[in-house]
Amino acid sequence: FFSHQPFSFTLSIQFLDSSFCSCFSLTYPSRLGHGVLGATTAAPLVAAAVLFWFAFKFVSGRIRFGVTGKHHRAAATAPNTSDGVVPRSRSPTAATEIRPIARAIAKQDTKRADEIMAKLSAGPRLHWLLGHEGVVYTAVFLPAGRRLVSSSGDKTLRIWDVETGETVIGPLKGHTDSVSRVAVHGSRIASCSYDGTFRIWDADSGKLDLGPISAHTGLQVNWIAYSRDGTRIATAGDDNRAAIWDANTGVRLHVMIGHTQEVWCVAFSEDGTRLVSASQDKTVRIWDVASGEFIGEPLTGHTDLVRAVCFSPDGQRIFSASDDRTIRIWDAETRALIVEPLRMSNWVCMALSPDGKRLVSGSKTGRIAMWDTETGAGIPTPLMDHKGWVRSVAFSPDGRKIASASIDKTITLWDATGDWKRWDIGDEFREWLYSRMTMTYCT
């Protein structure tokens, strides 16, 4: 153990019958030869202490679990393959590796088993998508959920295969400045840019269908959104205005005047009759899409610029995320807050799940969080992978995946099912529970 040369040892833990842990053995190779240490115990407390000691070690990244084979110390940065795909993550705290232990604990204490899964297991990263040469501003799933489109500070868009992580179309070039946002309807992709224009692309061929169309007096276009039926497009710009356009011709239909500073974001209601906008002026406003007129009074309460806004699927609530480190949930009719503001540090982007029951948010620290939209309670989801500001988050159409885009030039795909923190699923793990688990310790 005191050699300066690398060494490893293997710990096998055998679960027998209904006892928590009945025996364990330790085998290690060294330059002095091979030795075997065997010990048995029937004391559940001793066994629990051993298991939790090793749990502490693998949380710190020193011990890795595996069903077969050996693992080696991971590189400090993710490996990049020739096609831009990083292999699926094998986190030392992957749920599949903790689940057998949690299931055994659940025989005595299900609440503690739930806590272990929520706190110690990391949500599995499905893919890292690499290829952009600049900040990735946004990533949005295409309707079938099998592909994803992204936009970047490198002035391009890319279309990715969600299962393989490969770029399948692109980079799509044309914008002369950062592509700040994309929106999707059917096989059409709308992109807006700091170059003061927006464009419409064909998602199947990557060809430009419409544009470039100058908007917001040539100033930065910060956001773009499609109406549910795909007939209208809304944009937000640095001219302190929002605008509505015919999605097929690019003709401007309405200009919304009311905000006193830059408009950062816009979103249509599900039925397409209303538009909500949010601004540097710290307010949220609701507009009538048919007339372009302002409806009622602005929603006030944020103490800093509002970066993201959206309607709930039923149109009865409005969600807004601000640099004041809060996300607020408003009643769309009364303008009153439904729950206390969701307070955390540096939240800058958000997205609703398709059913409207969950909200995911991203922060400047690289962390991603999830919330229950009915109660405002946080949902334990320890997703923290980006090395910088998360600029965009999005759910897949079926709500089973999350895509996060960051200034670290990457897109990360996550499992959003919540199954990773359950101990009571997967028959394959019942066999594993009563078989041998292998740990390899590398120095």
Side-chain angles (χ1 to χ4, degrees):
F1 285 95
F2 297 98
S3 168
H4 292 291
Q5 300 299 318
F7 68 91
S8 65
F9 65 83
T10 300
L11 175 69
S12 298
I13 303 173
Q14 184 72 42
F15 293 88
L16 298 177
D17 301 323
S18 60
S19 62
F20 184 74
C21 177
S22 59
C23 68
F24 62 90
S25 63
L26 177 67
T27 305
Y28 65 92
S30 71
R31 293 184 302 171
L32 300 177
H34 296 275
V36 177
L37 172 65
T40 60
T41 178
L45 291 178
V46 174
V50 171
L51 288 173
F52 280 109
W53 183 85
F54 280 102
F56 172 80
K57 288 296 184 180
F58 70 64
V59 168
S60 68
R62 300 298 302 277
I63 293 177
R64 301 186 176 217
F65 287 85
V67 178
T68 59
K70 292 187 177 182
H71 296 277
H72 300 282
R73 186 182 297 276
T77 58
N80 187 2
T81 60
S82 59
D83 60 3
V85 181
V86 175
R88 289 174 181 262
S89 169
R90 286 194 176 274
S91 166
T93 55
T96 55
E97 295 154 350
I98 297 175
R99 189 175 282 117
I101 298 174
R103 186 179 286 116
I105 293 173
K107 293 178 180 179
Q108 302 296 327
D109 189 341
T110 57
K111 183 177 179 181
R112 181 54 57 89
D114 288 337
E115 291 175 351
I116 288 173
M117 291 300 296
K119 292 180 180 180
L120 298 185
S121 60
R125 183 178 64 233
L126 302 177
H127 278 302
W128 246 328
L129 277 55
L130 306 178
H132 280 298
E133 297 176 357
V135 172
V136 185
Y137 283 104
T138 186
V140 178
F141 288 90
L142 290 167
R146 295 189 296 269
R147 294 185 300 160
L148 176 147
V149 60
S150 61
S151 68
S152 171
D154 64 12
K155 309 175 187 178
T156 71
L157 293 79
R158 287 175 179 259
I159 300 175
W160 310 80
D161 184 294
V162 170
E163 293 303 317
T164 67
E166 298 179 2
T167 298
V168 292
I169 298 178
L172 307 183
K173 300 179 180 180
H175 284 293
T176 58
D177 204 337
S178 298
V179 186
S180 52
R181 190 66 45 174
V182 293
V184 171
H185 181 270
S187 62
R188 306 190 90 194
I189 299 169
S191 63
C192 64
S193 169
Y194 293 160
D195 65 12
T197 71
F198 71 88
R199 300 169 185 243
I200 310 295
W201 311 79
D202 184 276
D204 297 323
S205 66
K207 293 181 179 179
L208 186 66
D209 274 355
L210 185 66
I213 296 170
S214 181
H216 300 280
T217 65
L219 298 177
Q220 287 187 180
V221 185
N222 299 315
W223 204 281
I224 194 163
Y226 264 110
S227 62
R228 177 72 172 179
D229 62 7
T231 63
R232 298 290 183 265
I233 284 174
T235 56
D238 270 9
D239 60 350
N240 304 350
R241 301 176 180 181
I244 295 178
W245 311 75
D246 186 296
N248 295 314
T249 65
V251 173
R252 190 176 66 190
L253 303 176
H254 300 293
V255 177
M256 281 74 164
I257 300 175
H259 286 294
T260 59
Q261 291 181 274
E262 296 94 328
V263 181
W264 280 99
C265 50
V266 287
F268 285 96
S269 60
E270 191 77 4
D271 61 8
T273 62
R274 292 169 295 166
L275 184 80
V276 62
S277 62
S279 168
Q280 183 96 16
D281 66 13
K282 309 172 189 175
T283 69
V284 175
R285 292 175 178 257
I286 305 172
W287 311 84
D288 179 76
V289 170
S291 66
E293 296 297 322
F294 180 48
I295 301 174
E297 296 299 318
L299 282 65
T300 59
H302 283 298
T303 59
D304 207 334
L305 69 91
V306 185
R307 288 191 180 269
V309 68
C310 65
F311 279 98
S312 61
D314 61 10
Q316 296 181 8
R317 293 171 295 166
I318 291 172
F319 298 79
S320 58
S322 169
D323 274 13
D324 65 8
R325 303 182 181 182
T326 69
I327 296 173
R328 295 176 181 244
I329 306 175
W330 313 79
D331 184 295
E333 294 299 325
T334 66
R335 271 55 170 186
L337 286 179
I338 296 175
V339 298
E340 286 297 309
L342 314 183
R343 299 182 184 276
M344 287 295 286
S345 61
N346 298 316
W347 299 118
V348 297
C349 61
M350 66 175 184
L352 272 182
S353 61
D355 61 8
K357 295 181 179 180
R358 294 172 294 164
L359 182 141
V360 63
S361 59
S363 77
K364 290 182 179 178
T365 62
R367 184 166 177 248
I368 299 165
M370 198 175 296
W371 312 82
D372 183 304
T373 60
E374 295 296 329
T375 65
I379 300 172
T381 309
L383 308 182
M384 185 169 182
D385 195 67
H386 289 291
K387 295 180 174 63
W389 186 345
V390 179
R391 294 302 303 257
S392 151
V393 287
F395 277 96
S396 60
D398 61 6
R400 297 181 64 83
K401 295 183 181 69
I402 292 171
S404 56
S406 171
I407 66 170
D408 64 10
K409 306 179 184 180
T410 71
I411 302 161
T412 302
L413 298 180
W414 303 94
D415 179 358
T417 63
D419 288 347
W420 53 269
K421 59 185 178 184
R422 290 182 57 189
W423 52 265
D424 60 339
I425 62 171
D427 289 339
E428 66 272 24
F429 298 112
R430 297 184 188 278
E431 282 189 21
W432 191 27
L433 178 62
Y434 294 102
S435 66
R436 184 168 296 177
M437 294 191 303
T438 301
M439 298 181 197
T440 300
Y441 182 89
C442 303
T443 62

